[in-house]
Amino acid sequence: MVLEISPSILHFLLLGLQLSISVCSPITSQRDGGLEELGNLQERQSGNSFFSVLGIGGLGDGSTHPRLEIRELEQNADQWNVYLLGLRRFQNMSQSDKLSYYQIAGIHGRPYIAWDGVQQVAGGFGGYCIHGSNIFPTWHRPYLALFEEILYLNARQVVSEFPSGPIKDRFTNALSTLRMPYWDWAAVPPSDQGTLPFSLRRPTVEVTLPSGTATIPNPLFSYTFHPLNKNDMGGSGNFATWPSTIRNPSSNDVNAASRIDLVANQMDSARPNLQSRVFNILSMHHDYGSISNDGSPGDSLESVHDAIHNTVGSGGHMGEVPFSAFDPIFWLHHTNIDRMLAIWQALNPDSYVTPMAQPYSTFSSPPQVVKDVNSPLQPFHRNDMGDFWTSETTRSTIAFGYTYTELVGLNGNDTPGLINRINTLYGPNATPQKRTILLTDGELVERSTLKSRGIAGAASFSLGRQYTANIKVRKFGLDGSFNVYVFLGEKPGSDPRKWISESSFVGMSGIFAAANPDSRKLKIEANGVVPLTPILETKVGTSQLQSLKEGVVGKYLKNNLRWRISTLDGKEILVENAPGFQLSILWSEVEPAKSASEFPKVVGDCHILMEATDGRPGGFQRGDTL
């Protein structure tokens, strides 16, 4: 009898053999090339050059396991060790390997080269990443699965190199359910921590190697280019000189350092409004088209996503589209966005991708092409025949062998049970998450008490009204990313870098954009939201407002609401100099939830609160249209 083996199975048999015989150390002073042959191995199968993205589910027994919040993963010491070593080994792969951290990160933006045989099209610009699009969330799903798959292969190789014994057995067991983690920047953090986990802030980390315990550079803190190819990074400017990824850079010099404590404090200030935005999207928005991207008025997963990029980057890699994926925090952030999409899908199973003309070009797609649920998510192949993943084939996370904790253990269509979990995480009575870890003395930085500044999370809607500051602006009008800040009370100071810490700060909407000449001609609009209801409810509770009736709120906002714009490097942009900028206040009646297993419901239509902005620069004026 002749045993026939399909090309895909043969690929993974050969892959397992290749990994098992590698003898490279997971952490060395030299760059690890242990997986460099993986690409060539794949190219030899069936005589083609496609790499089939199967996710971790395609590497083992096909089991589905949840991706965990990073603090939760850290509580499992063995799994945490395997994850860190796998990520470090992944980052150390030769940058010439198409399955290296460098080239997979480069799919998103720079260095603007073809990946897995998907060539640049006429009129194509930038990287493959798709923003401002109906397939923005779904394009990133196979992208994350690809990253997770190669991360897992590196982690598996790390474990294989430990000598036989109890430690290797423990790490093998830890590997069996490993999935890459996410960073939940919207939930109330553990009481002894800030929004930015300490694991993302420390430059070094202690791990267990085959040779014993050692301190290594933290692969979650930064990625070091090896080498830094200036041409790949645009040839000039900061990103062509910085040898490692950086967050909120201390200067523009080659030796600039990340000001990570500033990032941590900014995230603490931004988090309550992010909680409100996430809760509103999950609880009261039921149309996929509107929550999928920032091209439509109102809030979206993309707009919330932009705020994190800009706040963490603050002039560094995360704040610039072409370079953001090189920062390790990118993957934790986007995994959280994918998680929110998966939760939203479970709550709204009948709404999904509908056709939409793409507003601007990518590396593999010209502008104005209509994409739908069956459009290829390039450059991610799903089989040996060269077929691509689509929004339809990636509709379920189970296709890649993962899920999320919030979706585990629900019986059938247990929508009330899921709603209860979302209320616990992001609702008005949300409490600190029990994801506490032990820190060594002196590692925990003291933080400002946000409650004393009157910053609230999600609204209760007990007063029957919802108010939002709706923002629209030309996405590419300022040649890069920028932020719109909203204040209630005293005028903010003259230093934009301190606006987010002002006592009157309410929230921020980020515009995450790369300079794109084609898009500039098209005058593409981006939208964002800053919820006002939580802070207004607080004002009523302290007798600074009599009620949330629109007449009362209109007068209050006219005298107290302010807005400002700045670039990520801290330069203020006058509102009148931001093309297409407009801020409007919308209000609607809301029926509050009656139990922890219900969401609030919008009643009737939304209305423009004209009095709040009329006659003010950048404000919605009488006669304008939304």
Side-chain angles (χ1 to χ4, degrees):
M1 181 180 71
V2 178
L3 178 65
E4 294 185 359
I5 302 178
S6 71
S8 293
I9 294 176
L10 177 61
H11 160 60
F12 286 110
L13 289 174
L14 292 173
L15 176 58
L17 176 63
Q18 189 269 331
L19 289 173
S20 67
I21 63 176
S22 175
V23 295
C24 294
S25 170
I27 305 295
T28 67
S29 58
Q30 300 296 317
R31 293 297 167 185
D32 195 339
L35 288 179
E36 289 183 12
E37 291 185 291
L38 180 58
N40 294 331
L41 197 77
Q42 179 69 18
E43 288 174 5
R44 287 198 298 270
Q45 77 162 355
S46 301
N48 64 46
S49 60
F50 303 134
F51 180 82
S52 301
V53 178
L54 300 181
I56 294 181
L59 299 181
D61 59 6
S63 299
T64 298
H65 297 286
R67 292 174 175 173
L68 305 178
E69 210 277 338
I70 187 168
R71 295 177 179 93
E72 188 175 357
L73 179 66
E74 193 170 1
Q75 291 179 13
N76 185 326
D78 290 343
Q79 206 162 53
W80 182 247
N81 193 78
V82 170
Y83 166 65
L84 289 176
L85 292 185
L87 181 58
R88 181 63 175 169
R89 190 178 194 279
F90 188 10
Q91 292 179 354
N92 282 349
M93 288 178 63
S94 170
Q95 294 181 173
S96 63
D97 192 324
K98 79 172 182 181
L99 296 178
S100 65
Y101 182 98
Y102 181 79
Q103 288 207 26
I104 289 178
I107 290 171
H108 192 264
R110 289 281 180 183
Y112 301 160
I113 58 174
W115 193 86
D116 207 26
V118 181
Q119 300 298 320
Q120 185 174 18
V121 299
F125 181 87
Y128 292 100
C129 67
I130 295 177
H131 292 166
S133 164
N134 56 337
I135 58 175
F136 160 75
T138 55
W139 180 88
H140 284 82
R141 183 162 282 176
Y143 190 28
L144 293 169
L146 167 64
F147 185 92
E148 186 174 50
E149 180 178 348
I150 308 306
L151 169 65
Y152 181 89
L153 289 173
N154 278 278
R156 190 168 73 180
Q157 174 61 26
V158 166
V159 172
S160 74
E161 292 166 359
F162 276 79
S164 298
I167 294 179
K168 183 173 184 176
D169 292 343
R170 283 175 20 217
F171 288 169
T172 299
N173 183 62
L175 182 67
S176 65
T177 59
L178 178 66
R179 298 295 184 268
M180 67 180 183
Y182 62 90
W183 167 37
D184 190 349
W185 28 255
V188 182
S191 56
D192 62 347
Q193 297 184 53
T195 305
L196 185 68
F198 198 76
S199 58
L200 304 180
R201 296 175 49 205
R202 52 191 175 207
T204 61
V205 64
E206 188 175 277
V207 295
T208 298
L209 302 173
S211 58
T213 302
T215 299
I216 63 170
N218 183 4
L220 293 170
F221 184 76
S222 66
Y223 169 71
T224 298
F225 299 94
H226 52 91
L228 174 66
N229 186 318
K230 294 183 178 181
N231 291 332
D232 281 1
M233 298 297 112
S236 62
N238 299 340
F239 299 101
T241 60
W242 285 331
S244 301
T245 57
I246 196 165
R247 303 164 188 164
N248 198 322
S250 58
S251 70
N252 293 327
D253 299 334
V254 65
N255 59 350
S258 290
R259 294 184 290 190
I260 200 65
D261 284 345
L262 291 181
V263 174
N265 288 330
Q266 289 173 347
M267 284 304 309
D268 282 344
S269 294
R271 192 211 60 78
N273 211 252
L274 291 168
Q275 176 189 340
S276 182
R277 295 179 71 178
V278 168
F279 180 68
N280 291 351
I281 288 173
L282 294 179
S283 65
M284 294 186 289
H285 293 241
H286 307 292
D287 174 62
Y288 173 89
S290 62
I291 66 98
S292 65
N293 68 93
D294 63 9
S296 301
D299 214 353
S300 63
L301 291 176
E302 182 177 14
S303 181
V304 177
H305 142 278
D306 289 0
I308 308 302
H309 270 281
N310 289 2
T311 303
V312 172
S314 295
H317 290 75
M318 265 291 281
E320 299 296 332
V321 175
F323 311 101
S324 60
F326 292 112
D327 190 326
I329 208 170
F330 173 96
W331 304 98
L332 301 166
H333 167 43
H334 269 276
T335 303
N336 194 38
I337 293 295
D338 181 74
R339 164 179 165 267
M340 290 175 179
L341 171 63
I343 292 172
W344 188 93
Q345 286 179 274
L347 293 166
N348 305 274
D350 296 327
S351 182
Y352 199 49
V353 178
T354 54
M356 172 185 168
Q358 304 303 290
Y360 50 90
S361 63
T362 68
F363 187 85
S364 61
S365 178
Q368 299 306 305
V369 172
V370 175
K371 294 186 182 292
D372 59 25
V373 71
N374 295 311
S375 296
L377 302 177
Q378 296 175 331
F380 310 116
H381 292 101
R382 62 185 294 257
N383 57 34
D384 305 340
M385 307 300 293
D387 296 324
F388 292 99
W389 287 99
T390 67
S391 297
E392 182 60 44
T393 55
T394 63
R395 188 164 185 162
S396 171
T397 64
I398 295 175
F400 295 115
Y402 73 89
T403 184
Y404 293 101
T405 304
E406 290 77 17
L407 304 176
V408 173
L410 296 176
N411 297 321
N413 296 321
D414 186 6
T415 301
L418 179 55
I419 290 175
N420 192 299
R421 294 179 181 184
I422 301 309
N423 279 323
T424 300
L425 277 172
Y426 306 117
N429 298 314
T431 56
Q433 298 304 293
K434 295 180 180 179
R435 292 164 174 161
T436 305
I437 59 171
L438 297 177
L439 302 177
T440 59
D441 292 341
E443 287 187 337
L444 190 61
V445 176
E446 293 185 4
R447 309 198 161 275
S448 60
T449 302
L450 298 177
K451 289 183 179 179
S452 66
R453 291 172 44 199
I455 295 181
S460 68
F461 299 106
S462 59
L463 300 177
R465 290 290 189 276
Q466 176 178 231
Y467 291 90
T468 60
N470 277 36
I471 295 157
K472 72 175 182 178
V473 65
R474 297 269 176 82
K475 187 165 189 171
F476 300 95
L478 298 180
D479 290 323
S481 302
F482 57 97
N483 295 324
V484 179
Y485 297 83
V486 174
F487 307 87
L488 200 57
E490 296 181 2
K491 293 181 179 179
S494 59
D495 185 356
R497 287 191 174 274
K498 297 180 179 179
W499 284 350
I500 203 168
S501 300
E502 297 271 4
S503 60
S504 58
F505 171 77
V506 175
M508 178 267 285
S509 183
I511 307 298
F512 185 51
N516 185 329
D518 291 339
S519 302
R520 205 165 169 75
K521 297 174 185 176
L522 294 172
K523 300 181 180 179
I524 296 168
E525 179 183 292
N527 296 267
V529 160
V530 173
L532 301 178
T533 316
I535 191 67
L536 292 175
E537 288 181 345
T538 300
K539 298 294 184 183
V540 173
T542 56
S543 300
Q544 297 178 64
L545 266 177
Q546 293 179 340
S547 73
L548 286 194
K549 294 292 185 180
E550 52 273 20
V552 175
V553 173
K555 293 178 181 178
Y556 181 80
L557 294 182
K558 180 179 180 180
N559 294 325
N560 293 279
L561 185 69
R562 310 175 197 285
W563 49 87
R564 298 287 188 275
I565 303 174
S566 81
T567 59
L568 301 193
D569 58 359
K571 297 177 182 177
E572 180 173 6
I573 303 295
L574 296 179
V575 169
E576 49 267 37
N577 292 337
F581 178 82
Q582 187 181 83
L583 185 142
S584 59
I585 304 301
L586 298 187
W587 70 272
S588 59
E589 294 186 44
V590 175
E591 178 183 322
K594 297 180 178 64
S595 72
S597 298
E598 295 182 3
F599 281 146
K601 298 177 182 178
V602 175
V603 179
D605 297 327
C606 290
H607 311 275
I608 302 171
L609 192 62
M610 182 63 67
E611 184 178 5
T613 62
D614 195 28
R616 304 171 62 183
F620 187 83
Q621 312 291 312
R622 296 185 187 279
D624 286 341
T625 57
L626 285 179

